[in-house]
Amino acid sequence: MSPTKMPTERTVTLKDVAEHAGVSPMTVSRALNKPATVSETLRARIGASVESLGYVQNLVAGALASAGSNVIPVIVPSLSNSVFVEVIAGIQDVAQAAGYQLMLGNTEYDLDREYGAVSTFLGWSPPGMIIAGMRHLDRTRNLLKRWGKPVVEMMEYGTQAIDMNVGLSHYKAGETMATHLVTQGYREIVFIGCRIQADYRAAQRYKGMDRILARHGLHRREPISYDGPSNWALGGDALMDVLEATPKVDAIFFANDDLAVGAILRAQREGVAVPKRVAIAGFNGLGLADLVQPGLTTIMSPRLEIGRVAARQLLDRFAGHTPAKRRVDVSFQLQVRGST
Amino acid sequence: MSPTKMPTERTVTLKDVAEHAGVSPMTVSRALNKPATVSETLRARIGASVESLGYVQNLVAGALASAGSNVIPVIVPSLSNSVFVEVIAGIQDVAQAAGYQLMLGNTEYDLDREYGAVSTFLGWSPPGMIIAGMRHLDRTRNLLKRWGKPVVEMMEYGTQAIDMNVGLSHYKAGETMATHLVTQGYREIVFIGCRIQADYRAAQRYKGMDRILARHGLHRREPISYDGPSNWALGGDALMDVLEATPKVDAIFFANDDLAVGAILRAQREGVAVPKRVAIAGFNGLGLADLVQPGLTTIMSPRLEIGRVAARQLLDRFAGHTPAKRRVDVSFQLQVRGST
DNA sequence: CTGAAAGCGCTTACAG
DNA sequence: CTGAAAGCGCTTACAG
């Protein structure tokens, strides 16, 4: 009874449907793909044949014959980060509604793997591609440029896009948060994140912060970076570590809200007064940021929006228009709450 | 300079590489797909030609000729639920390492859309498929059965699998939590979730709980169901609602940890004593459950594990073995913490 | 170890 | 509105 053992019945093809309906394969193809070009009588007859034979279109053959498919590859650096997941959900919303399928690639923040994913995906003759980030290997950029089809680089906003681009300036986000902290009177500020070497968007936020600290003549510190993906518990550990190692720190800018929320929950349990003893700030704008006590000061990044815009930019180009904006800065918003 | 305007250079094909290297296309195909079957001299020459021409294999043509691709469709009911995302990450881990790509389908808990996704995906001649849940339309089941290739139904564990299956019994999970609550002395227990009509796994947890309440002769209540996807804030609102509407409730079993954590955070802010005034329990085992105060009593479900096992079951079958177990019960674990 | 032939199941482009 | 021919770019199955 194992399915592999079942004698697989010969696949039903267009030709079978055509014979069953007494028309040519071409007519069946039209009835299926451009119903309006086929007379109603035939359309009905063909529909009945499709139904009774259990015909399923072979999309692979279709893609080969027409040199194009409706599958859009999406390449992200991580799936353990909820941010990318939300972006993917945004892309799905728009793409699936327009009849496109998503193919998923995960690079684990490795640019060589990114190249591999890109070149494999190109082999599927997709109509376009969405890729996270604007830093790639030269050969990846060249491959995509030579390819010539629509490409959206998302998450960050920049001037050197391969083609289209949607995101925000992480550097400015870092500046904004740092300015807020300095204005609030904090003087000993530290940045804490995970795999900052690879997650260069986090690194850009650090640099934005560092610039502001420099401008104000404040103490500048190297960012503290932990290995592995970030999670809530780690934020709490990081908080306790830094308070012990560098007691005079009076504010922490975490690379993301997961870490920052974890830190606030831990502070509460350990009796560390936030923001009195130490202020805590994050980045992303998770729903949770507003529920902990004190509320987390953070920067809202429009993740769903980034995904939706990326998909729309692609769809616009598929439809032949130049999208209204080839580069979209979705910006961000500082949310000040009790933690700072 | 828009990529669409660039005169797309003719695609480089196998034949081009063959001519460049002075061999037959067949030899190039072998060098690429089964390097061991080609002499080293030729392999090197072909590699050089591939490099210099910038050849990218056309996977669509390959899939058509060999009647199979390396793309595995994964169909889930939601992407806004972090549970499915983790499962997908687990599948990716295993599948991508083995050279398979994932194609993503989201049904939004709609069985008709599920049927659509399944039949579209079949058109891509995948070697197998992974689908969440064991409840489908009859025609979906029939389509997959007739298809005859490996199919894994994941998330729940059951006896009526189309083919292979990995998950856990949500009914038993509900029984387990209810038994715990009753043992702790709670008597007025209510179940709160989101779109319980569609999310029948949550409904099964409710039923498991209901059975235990009945057995103990306790007050049985209809589950409370909110529309739309669950989120942290909603859990807090639900808590306040139920305390006002049904003051004698002394324990809440939330359909998931997102809701339950939200409820605990809200209780803390509103000065509702947990578990004294009301006990709170969840389901999933999010990392956050251990960080809030009091810690959340919940049921750990091995989400990454489910994904990994599903992928491995598929890979086993691709390799021709019957997997060790065709149906895998990954089970679950009750985690008792301060909230009950 | 290498190659010539046939074909995978569609769609494009041309006729009528 | 409908159809016969050619071809998309590979791989399978057979020879040598």
Side-chain angles (χ1 to χ4, degrees), chain B residues 301-324:
Chain B
S301 69
R303 302 171 293 283
L304 264 176
E305 168 88 358
I306 288 177
R308 292 206 179 109
V309 171
R312 268 189 228 112
Q313 284 184 311
L314 232 41
L315 294 176
D316 275 358
R317 274 282 265 292
F318 296 166
H321 333 133
T322 314

Side-chain angles (χ1 to χ4, degrees), chain A residues 48-217:
Chain A
S49 299
V50 165
E51 197 65 38
S52 88
L53 294 177
Y55 171 65
V56 173
Q57 254 190 84
N58 186 324
L59 270 15
V60 175
L64 179 57
S66 66
S69 76
N70 64 344
V71 175
I72 302 175
V74 177
I75 300 178
V76 296
S78 164
L79 280 177
S80 48
N81 186 327
S82 65
V83 168
F84 292 107
V85 172
E86 287 182 62
V87 171
I88 291 170
I91 298 173
Q92 258 258 347
D93 269 5
V94 175
Q96 192 159 298
Y100 289 85
Q101 246 78 49
L102 259 43
M103 214 167 201
L104 210 57
N106 178 359
T107 70
E108 291 295 339
Y109 284 107
D110 177 336
L111 294 182
D112 287 309
R113 286 179 69 164
E114 185 183 73
Y115 176 78
V118 168
S119 67
T120 300
F121 284 149
L122 289 190
W124 283 102
S125 314
M129 186 175 301
I130 297 177
I131 185 167
M134 306 190 73
R135 291 200 195 170
H136 318 284
L137 297 181
D138 281 344
R139 48 185 188 150
T140 307
R141 290 181 63 86
N142 292 338
L143 187 59
L144 286 173
K145 280 195 161 168
R146 240 183 317 162
W147 185 45
K149 291 196 192 167
V151 173
V152 180
E153 289 168 285
M154 62 175 184
M155 302 316 286
E156 41 186 312
Y157 178 71
T159 55
Q160 302 297 319
I162 294 172
D163 179 12
M164 295 181 286
N165 170 231
V166 52
L168 57 91
S169 164
H170 291 262
Y171 187 87
K172 282 190 193 164
E175 288 186 327
T176 299
M177 185 56 84
T179 301
H180 164 71
L181 292 173
V182 172
T183 306
Q184 293 288 306
Y186 300 105
R187 291 294 172 264
E188 300 289 343
I189 307 172
V190 62
F191 186 94
I192 302 182
C194 288
R195 344 185 229 190
I196 292 182
Q197 209 71 34
D199 183 358
Y200 66 88
R201 278 177 290 275
Q204 284 175 314
R205 297 195 285 276
Y206 164 74
K207 280 182 193 150
M209 167 184 120
D210 192 56
R211 169 140 184 276
I212 297 298
L213 298 192
R215 181 189 293 166
H216 287 269

Side-chain angles (χ1 to χ4, degrees), chain B residues 14 26 29 33 55 58 61 65:
Chain B
L14 246 203
M26 209 36 245
S29 170
N33 300 318
Y55 172 65
N58 185 324

Side-chain angles (χ1 to χ4, degrees), chain B residues 25-102:
Chain B
M26 209 36 245
T27 304
V28 178
S29 170
R30 288 200 188 94
L32 260 30
N33 300 318
K34 297 173 189 169
T37 65
V38 173
S39 71
E40 189 163 337
T41 345
L42 280 190
R43 217 188 307 150
R45 212 159 81 209
I46 291 169
S49 298
V50 165
E51 196 64 37
S52 87
L53 295 177
Y55 172 65
V56 172
Q57 255 190 86
N58 185 324
L59 270 15
V60 175
L64 178 58
S66 66
S69 75
N70 65 346
V71 175
I72 301 175
V74 177
I75 299 179
V76 297
S78 164
L79 280 176
S80 47
N81 186 327
S82 66
V83 168
F84 293 106
V85 171
E86 287 182 62
V87 171
I88 290 170
I91 297 173
Q92 257 259 347
D93 268 7
V94 175
Q96 192 160 300
Y100 289 85
Q101 245 79 48
L102 258 43

